[in-house]
Amino acid sequence: MSSPSQSHAHAALTPTALVLTSHLLRHDNPNLAFAIQHALEYLGADRPPPSTQANEELQLNTALLASLHAQTVGEILAALTVLGQQAVSTPQRHPERVALLHELLDEWVALAEWILQRTDNPPERWH
């Protein structure tokens, strides 16, 4: 997973971020956790190797959106935000959990920004 300062440099979610997000959401949001697991399986399908990092990000993000859809990305962001608020407001605050949630939120926000930057002319398979 990238550090928060790097998350805007690249907009593709890592498989590790997807697994961690699914794990965090599995109790309170099992449908979202399942959708992320499904996206991981979809990403595991054979794809040709990318020629550049930008091409890799495009392929990963496009594959994620083919499975998750933009609305689900927003729902995941909302669910992670709730978890973050809960983590910050608990008396026995765990700095590692807060930091992890912050990193994951940064990565999902970067994906959402990537989606928004491309909404003028989305590929057919996003629909």
Side-chain angles (χ1 to χ4, degrees), residues 1 7 11 17 31 36 39 44-45 48 52 55 59 61 66 71-72 79 95 100-104 109 111 122:
M1 207 167 35
S7 66
N31 289 338
I36 294 168
T52 64
N55 193 22
Q59 286 180 355
N61 288 343
Q71 180 176 342
T72 307
L100 174 63
L101 285 163
H102 188 264
E103 272 191 60
L104 289 173
V109 165
L111 176 62

Side-chain angles (χ1 to χ4, degrees), residues 18-30:
L18 291 167
V19 169
L20 289 170
T21 303
S22 176
H23 182 73
L24 287 169
L25 297 179
R26 70 180 177 195
H27 293 293
D28 295 332
N29 297 282

